[in-house]
Amino acid sequence: MRLRKLAYNYPDSTGHFGPYGGIYVAETLMGALDELRAAYEHYSVDPEFKAEFAYELKHYVGRPSPIYHARHWSQKLGGAQIYLKREDLNHTGAHKVNNTVGQALLAKRMGKPRVIAETGAGQHGVATATVAARYGMECVVYMGAEDVKRQATNVYRMKLLGATVVPVESGSKTLKDALNEAMRDWVTNIENTFYIIGTVAGPHPYPMMVRDFNSVVSKECVVQMPELAGRQPDAVIACVGGGSNAMGIFHSYIEVPGVQLIGVEAAGSGLASGQHAAALTAGKPGVLHGNRTYLLQDGNGQIIETHSISAGLDYPGVGPEHAWLKDSGRAQYVAIEDSEALQAFHDLCHYEGIIPALESSHALAYAAKIAPTMGHDKVLLVNLSGRGDKDMATVARVSGIEL
Amino acid sequence: MSRIQPTFEKLKQRGGKALIPFITAGDPNPQLTVSLMHALVEAGADIIEIGVPFSDPMADGPTIQRSSERALKHGIALHDVLDMVAKFRTTDASTPVVLMGYGNPIEAMGWERFAVRCEQVGVDGVLTVDFPPEESHEAFGHLHRHGVDPIFLLAPTTSDERITQVAKVARGYVYYVSLKGVTGAGHLDLSAIAQKIPHIQQYIGLPIGVGFGIRDAETARAVSKLCDGVVVGSRIVQEIEDSNEEVVITNVARLVKELRLAINQV
């Protein structure tokens, strides 16, 4: 089927999405980024690289992931039909592995035997440790000490896969501090180390490269939706922390008119409480972690501590392409509170027999909010970006249950 | 007008090398910063680098990161740092002061307003670690117009093409990072520095300061032979961390005097 398309060609050659993105790093990293950019430019169009990536996604990750019509839940909500892109069924249980397979294959071709990563919820760390084991690479994962406590199972998982997990004690001891520490490792060990960034943020070419590797998600949806629903969706909904699962499911739809794109941020205890992680909804543009984007910061330009029930959304920035999609009006960004996400989490368990990740539950909660206001013939496509097994302890704790 | 160029010219006339110590503004507490600055000058500093604390200092090692965290606990913001320089200038009109930090606090103030304030209070140079020349033409234009020198880092991995780009916007001096890593790391390679400095001088006419990893007087002396100035940061900040507040100024002054004597032997 042929899609009518809008023109969209970002980033530019220097990594800018409008005013956002770019390369804001210390001189010590410039050489490594030049090397990475050249390698990615070369291999991203190399037929052999593309074939190996496709093979790995099919046979190791288990792609294509299905789309599932959540009939029962849609019926209960009494409005639009909700379809779920089942990234939770991937090997390792989330979309993150699409990107780590891609970057690991690139690292291999660049002759880097050691990979490092930062992780929040632990999903990206697990996905990195997984591919490091698969391709025989040394793996070091940096994780905020606070997150190490919150996600003990994922820490153990990474260790089983042969990775070294380094708890980061500086700053707020969460994802942003892990990212700082990984950058420091990279600067120091630049010759033999490839830094596998887990989201569509950081200096160019990372936002573009991570998006490209994850865009397999929307490439599949564009084909699957007409087969299953008879047409493309009215809206595509995804949660946004750094924003990689959202860019993955948005990307092929950016150029398709009539498909609304909705990113859902974490409103934590409520936007008014100040305890949230909604950079696009409540932040201001600035520069952090190698790119210009929306940031949660105080009036003096210091980055402020964020809160979300889901560690994977607990980040004060957001990928620069989302900043651009927001300003250009092509996507809309909303925020969902912890309590609303939890409700959607329980509802999906109850009505569909699917335990979603708390991150993805934010996207589900927004779908549940708007579906009843829409007609039965309307179609919502939600990225079920990960499964909730890792969140058992968190959900039990807030429900007052001891496991 | 910046005091940096005249300072290097004077040093050159008498065959001296610049000693450039670094402290973080507000560390160990905001009341001590101006006194520490004066103590650095009395102990022999030619130029002072003042760290502007930032919540996410990616290019710094643990020592300077902790100093940044101590300063932020006192609520130190960029405007406080500028006020400290203004106070320092009431009794020291000649020692160049360079602010070193990350771009976002300046973005929050606005580059033009920041440049104006720098000129007013007597800041001579600004080094924003995470703002390379390509991204920052407008920002550095504001600094140029207000007589403030943009200072840039060069690394062992910097290509000739990038050195050329830096040469177009840099003023005052350039800061050569003597090792691959973050501030305060070890393993300084003197022979690599000896090779790289003359190479950089082919592209850039400015004085070259060398820093990152200079932890004792002996290294400072050896490095100063190869360049125009020596930057010492983590070692001094470590001294501040290890000293209680009654003796911190004495201890830092003693350390800087040792460095001065070592460099004077060149």
Side-chain angles (χ1 to χ4, degrees):
Chain A
M1 131 170 192
R2 183 163 292 235
L3 289 168
R4 194 161 66 84
K5 286 200 162 182
L6 307 163
Y8 183 85
N9 192 18
Y10 291 94
D12 66 16
S13 63
T14 53
H16 293 90
F17 302 88
Y20 302 108
I23 303 176
Y24 291 88
V25 297
E27 186 57 39
T28 43
L29 273 177
M30 282 295 180
L33 288 169
D34 280 343
E35 188 189 353
L36 176 61
R37 212 159 44 236
Y40 184 63
E41 263 169 35
H42 176 78
Y43 289 112
S44 61
V45 293
D46 173 43
E48 199 193 311
F49 179 87
K50 285 162 76 172
E52 189 179 357
F53 183 52
Y55 180 93
E56 294 290 297
L57 289 183
K58 183 174 177 192
H59 297 282
Y60 188 62
V61 176
R63 304 205 70 91
S65 66
I67 291 180
Y68 169 71
H69 182 187
R71 276 201 187 83
H72 192 196
W73 192 40
S74 303
Q75 199 183 356
K76 288 287 168 192
L77 291 165
Q81 299 306 303
I82 299 175
Y83 289 78
L84 306 176
K85 177 63 172 168
R86 298 293 307 273
E87 291 298 295
D88 61 318
L89 295 178
N90 290 337
H91 177 43
T92 73
H95 71 288
K96 293 283 186 190
V97 73
N98 303 321
N99 168 51
T100 58
V101 165
Q103 291 199 47
L105 291 177
L106 190 58
K108 211 172 75 172
R109 279 169 173 74
M110 289 172 74
K112 310 274 184 185
R114 180 175 181 265
V115 295
I116 57 170
E118 84 296 335
T119 197
Q123 290 308 92
H124 174 58
V126 168
T128 304
T130 299
V131 297
R134 163 79 183 83
Y135 303 114
M137 295 161 158
E138 185 195 342
C139 178
V140 176
V141 178
Y142 292 93
M143 189 168 185
E146 196 59 40
D147 292 334
V148 169
K149 269 189 261 165
R150 288 196 279 192
Q151 304 286 345
T153 315
N154 267 345
V155 173
Y156 185 56
R157 223 169 251 151
M158 287 183 262
K159 288 180 181 167
L160 283 176
L161 292 162
T164 305
V165 179
V166 181
V168 177
E169 298 284 351
S170 57
S172 59
K173 304 177 192 190
T174 60
L175 179 57
K176 78 178 176 75
D177 310 287
L179 217 153
N180 293 334
E181 209 56 42
M183 288 267 188
R184 293 188 183 112
D185 180 314
W186 198 30
V187 169
T188 311
N189 301 296
I190 237 151
E191 270 111 18
N192 72 344
T193 298
F194 188 104
Y195 180 15
I196 299 188
I197 290 186
T199 193
V200 287
H204 181 63
Y206 281 103
M208 172 179 79
M209 182 169 72
V210 177
R211 174 201 71 191
D212 291 351
F213 288 141
N214 268 310
S215 66
V216 65
V217 177
S218 54
K219 281 182 196 140
E220 290 171 2
C221 290
V222 164
V223 176
Q224 291 167 316
M225 281 307 288
E227 288 170 5
L228 192 66
R231 64 184 182 93
Q232 300 298 347
D234 295 292
V236 177
I237 304 174
C239 66
V240 177
S244 68
N245 92 79
M247 275 325 304
I249 201 164
F250 285 177
H251 190 234
S252 296
Y253 282 113
I254 291 175
E255 295 184 309
V256 183
V259 179
Q260 200 189 351
L261 306 176
I262 304 172
V264 185
E265 296 191 295
S269 316
L271 292 178
S273 72
Q275 301 285 308
H276 60 80
L280 289 162
T281 312
K284 279 188 313 197
V287 171
L288 179 71
H289 292 150
N291 60 158
R292 181 181 294 280
T293 186
Y294 280 83
L295 300 172
L296 290 170
Q297 52 181 318
D298 67 16
N300 295 316
Q302 304 293 345
I303 307 308
I304 55 183
E305 293 188 12
T306 52
H307 167 82
S308 168
I309 191 169
S310 82
L313 301 183
D314 208 350
Y315 178 66
V318 63
E321 192 163 11
H322 286 295
W324 174 237
L325 289 174
K326 173 189 160 82
D327 282 13
S328 66
R330 180 62 190 94
Q332 284 75 50
Y333 294 87
V334 296
I336 282 289
E337 296 183 13
D338 288 349
S339 56
E340 299 170 298
L342 274 167
Q343 185 60 50
F345 174 94
H346 287 298
D347 287 348
L348 204 72
C349 292
H350 189 75
Y351 293 117
E352 299 291 350
I354 297 172
I355 303 177
L358 283 173
E359 289 77 9
S360 322
S361 298
H362 287 71
L364 295 167
Y366 191 71
K369 211 176 208 175
I370 60 170
T373 69
M374 302 167 79
H376 293 267
D377 59 332
K378 297 293 181 191
V379 172
L380 300 177
L381 173 62
V382 179
N383 198 1
L384 184 52
S385 54
R387 69 173 87 117
D389 307 41
K390 68 182 177 61
D391 296 313
M392 291 298 97
T394 308
V395 174
R397 185 168 41 78
V398 297
S399 311
I401 294 162
E402 207 163 316
L403 293 179
Chain B
M1 260 321 274
S2 163
R3 298 161 185 82
I4 294 173
Q5 195 193 340
T7 299
F8 275 104
E9 275 168 10
K10 254 184 264 170
L11 279 164
K12 202 174 179 181
Q13 280 164 17
R14 58 179 166 84
K17 300 297 172 85
L19 173 60
I20 312 175
F22 168 99
I23 58 171
T24 299
D27 174 36
N29 77 54
Q31 288 75 42
L32 285 176
T33 300
V34 174
S35 308
L36 269 169
M37 290 169 76
H38 287 304
L40 294 175
V41 176
E42 278 163 35
D46 299 295
I47 297 172
I48 302 176
E49 283 188 4
I50 298 293
V52 179
F54 183 51
S55 51
D56 294 81
M58 288 190 312
D60 286 298
T63 307
I64 289 180
Q65 178 171 27
R66 285 196 302 273
S67 80
S68 215
E69 285 174 4
R70 285 194 294 272
L72 288 174
K73 275 203 187 109
H74 291 291
I76 291 300
L78 180 54
H79 59 85
D80 298 310
V81 182
L82 290 161
D83 289 345
M84 288 172 185
V85 178
K87 199 172 165 203
F88 172 78
R89 280 276 171 256
T90 58
T91 49
D92 187 326
S94 60
T95 310
V97 173
V98 172
L99 299 188
M100 179 166 175
Y102 296 79
N104 203 53
I106 303 176
E107 291 265 316
M109 178 177 278
W111 279 92
E112 187 168 14
R113 194 172 143 223
F114 172 68
V116 170
R117 285 289 290 146
C118 283
E119 188 178 25
Q120 284 170 350
V121 303
V123 167
D124 302 279
V126 172
L127 197 172
T128 33
V129 178
D130 57 348
F131 272 54
E134 302 91 321
E135 296 286 1
S136 322
H137 292 296
E138 200 187 322
F140 299 127
H142 287 302
L143 295 182
H144 287 160
R145 274 192 292 285
H146 291 277
V148 181
D149 294 336
I151 315 284
F152 288 93
L153 295 177
L154 293 175
T157 48
T158 303
S159 65
D160 294 350
E161 193 191 336
R162 292 192 48 77
I163 298 177
T164 316
Q165 274 188 314
V166 168
K168 284 181 201 154
V169 261
R171 304 274 194 281
Y173 60 98
V174 291
Y175 182 155
Y176 179 67
V177 176
S178 43
L179 48 82
K180 288 171 196 164
V182 293
T183 54
H187 320 302
L188 197 107
D189 183 349
L190 284 173
S191 66
I193 300 173
Q195 278 182 358
K196 191 75 179 187
I197 299 292
H199 185 77
I200 296 170
Q201 282 164 337
Q202 291 173 18
Y203 296 89
I204 295 186
L206 298 172
I208 299 175
V210 174
F212 279 37
I214 297 173
R215 308 195 57 83
D216 53 49
E218 184 47 39
T219 316
R221 192 184 64 78
V223 169
S224 68
K225 279 192 212 169
L226 308 171
C227 60
D228 305 295
V230 176
V231 187
V232 184
S234 294
R235 177 66 190 89
I236 292 171
V237 170
Q238 185 69 55
E239 192 71 25
I240 291 173
E241 185 174 87
D242 294 344
S243 306
N244 67 44
E245 290 190 9
E246 293 81 65
V247 293
V248 65
I249 291 179
T250 324
N251 289 357
V252 167
R254 187 191 306 129
L255 174 64
V256 173
K257 267 178 209 155
E258 277 171 31
L259 296 166
R260 176 80 267 167
L261 281 173
I263 292 174
N264 285 351
Q265 286 163 15
V266 173

